[in-house]
Amino acid sequence: MNNDTIAAISTGMASGGIGIIRISGPKAIALCDRIFIRNKNNKESDGFLSKAAANTINFGFIYDRDADEILDEVLVSVFRAPHTYTREDICEINCHGGLYVIRRILDLVISSGARPAEPGEFTKRAFLNGRIDLSEAEAVMDTISSTNDFALKNAVSELSGRLSSEIRKVREEVLHETAFIEAALDDPEHYSLNGYPAELDEIISSWEETLSRLSKSFDEGQHRKNGILTVIAGKPNVGKSSLYNLLTGTDRAIVTDVPGTTRDTLEEDITLGDFTLRLIDTAGIHETEDTVEKIGVERSINGIERAELVLFVTDAYNGMDEEDEKIFSLIGDKKCVIIRNKNDLFPDEAVMLDGVLLGSALKDTNFKVCDFSAKTGEGLDELKKIISDLFFTTDSFLSDEIFITNERQKYEIDSAISALSLVKQSILDGMTEDFFSSDLMDAYSHLGKILGEEVEDDLVDKIFKDFCMGK
Ligand code: GDP
């Protein structure tokens, strides 16, 4: 249990309608009392908050005694340990949302005896004080950083402990079997190990099934959560920038700039319903038509190499030519949608000048063809469905599955699976039961690390350092 009292702005470092300063620790309430008055005309502190019931919101003013200045009219929420986010006493000062006033109040809170909180320190305390486990703490961060429906739904499900409970269940069973082996070895008269290896082998298979499912969900979860690294490729004039504009302009798309890895490429996140495309913009194709730098074969190479998905735009009206073929040959075994654009120009005719190329592409399950018009938007729903089918096995809205989206968790799950396969190998090799225990305990320990048991302090520090301030 920490003895110091921490404080931070919890509403972000920008001005807004309201601002919240959160204070947690043994002195939280007494400290607030010192700077809180209920009546502008009576500046004596009357210890009102210390007497306030838990979970109440109290109206008053923040008063800087040294400067004899009322800083703001506020609402102070009082939460009492242990029924709080951190399990410590917490006060939240709800003030006006200007950054200057929030900072003044925070400074006053700190000069009154609180210490500035480190990033994620409130959640870290919730973890250290046993209110949540480590995977639930990670889910808090995932919830905050969610950029699409899937990521949010998955994070909230993890937050409610669904992953933890699956892991905990397997882990307890592992412990149970280990204890049984130990007991039987100690006391062979009462516990028989006759036929036990075969039985254990079967039990391990069921654990492996659960853990493998979680491990396999990682790639899909990563794509769902972080988006699919996508490039729009094609020769000049086929409609790449039109497609780009259409995608970024769809009413459900949320476009955010993220810094790219090279100097002249940008990445932009486009959220399309329940998944996100991280578009590699290889040559500023979203610029206006006049300034468009037409992408040639060379410029596409870098983008295609990095991408996980290629949206290969072709001009279906004019058909494909050698230049298309050249770009097409760069795509290799990447997942690709061949977009036969400008479909609106021949609504009634099936123009199929590109039969050979499409024919070979269609045999490959990584390639899909989509008739499209960047001008009218026709084909957009089909395109979304194709991308979804290429990358996702489940419909995230219908599915109740849990997805691992965290590399640390995946590593521990895979390590547990490896340890369990060693036990299976020992069974196969006809080893005696005492050989099973150490690998079983190894699996037990890896699963514990997902929940935050048996993890080293510096790992805990590292995890919480990535949190945002005030959480
Ligand atoms: P880029 O060079 O590949 O980026 O191609 P642009 O997006 O600049 O498009 C080239 C030309 O084709 C422009 O005049 C667009 O208006 C036109 N265009 C793009 N997509 C379509 C489409 O689906 N239908 C029609 N009719 N014209 C399109």
Side-chain angles (χ1 to χ4, degrees), residues 235-243 285 289 292 294 341-345 372-376:
K235 67 185 183 191
N237 274 321
V238 288
K240 293 180 300 298
S241 39
S242 306
L243 172 64
I285 53 173
E289 192 127 332
V292 165
K294 299 294 182 190
N341 192 35
K342 308 196 186 181
N343 197 31
D344 57 287
L345 292 178
F372 204 83
S373 168
K375 192 173 174 187
T376 65

Side-chain angles (χ1 to χ4, degrees), residues 277-293:
L277 297 184
R278 280 168 55 206
L279 271 192
I280 305 170
D281 172 7
T282 46
I285 53 173
H286 60 304
E287 302 292 314
T288 62
E289 192 127 332
D290 306 336
T291 61
V292 165
E293 197 171 335

Side-chain angles (χ1 to χ4, degrees), residues 128 199 230 248 327 338 405:
L128 293 174
E199 209 179 289
T230 304
T248 54
I327 301 174
I338 300 169
T405 54

Side-chain angles (χ1 to χ4, degrees), residues 120-413:
E121 197 172 0
F122 295 98
T123 310
K124 185 177 172 182
R125 287 189 173 194
F127 165 65
L128 293 174
N129 293 335
R131 197 182 73 80
I132 53 175
D133 69 35
L134 201 52
S135 78
E136 287 162 348
E138 285 170 323
V140 170
M141 184 158 63
D142 287 347
T143 304
I144 294 171
S145 62
S146 297
T147 54
N148 59 35
D149 294 346
F150 167 82
L152 180 61
K153 182 174 174 251
N154 198 50
V156 170
S157 151
E158 209 178 310
L159 192 59
S160 66
R162 284 200 46 213
L163 173 67
S164 311
S165 71
E166 285 221 32
I167 297 289
R168 197 164 276 132
K169 181 167 173 285
V170 173
R171 190 166 180 257
E172 274 162 17
E173 289 174 12
V174 173
L175 187 64
H176 178 85
E177 297 308 321
T178 316
F180 176 75
I181 294 170
E182 296 297 322
L185 292 173
D186 277 355
D187 185 4
E189 278 181 25
H190 290 94
Y191 300 97
S192 163
L193 285 171
N194 239 348
Y196 177 72
E199 209 179 289
L200 180 63
D201 191 74
E202 226 170 83
I203 298 173
I204 291 178
S205 295
S206 79
W207 296 337
E208 279 177 336
E209 204 181 296
T210 305
L211 298 177
S212 301
R213 174 168 47 76
L214 290 173
S215 173
K216 281 198 199 112
S217 74
F218 181 75
D219 281 346
E220 187 162 339
Q222 280 297 92
H223 283 134
R224 292 270 195 196
K225 181 183 164 196
N226 298 331
I228 302 163
L229 200 57
T230 304
V231 68
I232 298 178
K235 67 185 183 191
N237 274 321
V238 288
K240 293 180 300 298
S241 39
S242 306
L243 172 64
Y244 182 93
N245 291 336
L246 181 78
L247 290 176
T248 54
T250 52
D251 51 2
R252 279 188 298 162
I254 303 165
V255 183
T256 44
D257 279 327
V258 289
T261 47
T262 62
R263 202 160 44 84
D264 58 1
T265 66
L266 272 177
E267 276 173 27
E268 215 153 356
D269 282 358
I270 298 176
T271 302
L272 297 171
D274 64 344
F275 67 85
T276 301
L277 297 184
R278 280 168 55 206
L279 271 192
I280 305 170
D281 172 7
T282 46
I285 53 173
H286 60 304
E287 302 292 314
T288 62
E289 192 127 332
D290 306 336
T291 61
V292 165
E293 197 171 335
K294 299 294 182 190
I295 301 182
V297 176
E298 305 77 28
R299 299 221 54 146
S300 304
I301 293 176
N302 174 271
I304 291 176
E305 265 175 10
R306 287 176 53 216
E308 297 164 303
L309 169 67
V310 182
L311 298 180
F312 177 42
V313 186
T314 64
D315 180 337
Y317 186 66
N318 292 309
M320 292 193 196
D321 60 19
E322 271 179 19
E323 209 176 338
D324 290 295
E325 302 262 0
K326 246 195 238 166
I327 301 174
F328 186 71
S329 68
L330 297 171
I331 297 172
D333 57 1
K334 296 264 153 119
K335 293 188 173 169
C336 171
V337 185
I338 300 169
I339 295 184
R340 303 179 70 239
N341 192 35
K342 308 196 186 181
N343 197 31
D344 57 287
L345 292 178
F346 49 94
D348 302 322
E349 281 174 68
V351 180
M352 286 288 176
L353 298 173
D354 35 26
V356 179
L357 194 155
L358 286 183
S360 66
L362 281 173
K363 288 196 200 97
D364 192 318
T365 49
N366 275 340
F367 286 92
K368 295 282 176 258
V369 178
C370 183
D371 287 324
F372 204 83
S373 168
K375 192 173 174 187
T376 65
E378 190 200 323
L380 185 58
D381 285 339
E382 174 68 9
L383 177 64
K384 285 185 204 163
K385 189 178 174 314
I386 289 173
I387 297 173
S388 183
D389 289 349
L390 276 174
F391 282 86
F392 307 120
T393 53
T394 48
D395 181 333
S396 70
F397 285 109
L398 299 179
S399 123
D400 226 13
E401 285 205 22
I402 307 169
F403 294 83
I404 303 288
T405 54
N406 176 309
E407 275 182 60
R408 186 188 75 84
Q409 295 170 356
K410 158 130 169 111
Y411 172 79
E412 300 300 349
I413 288 175

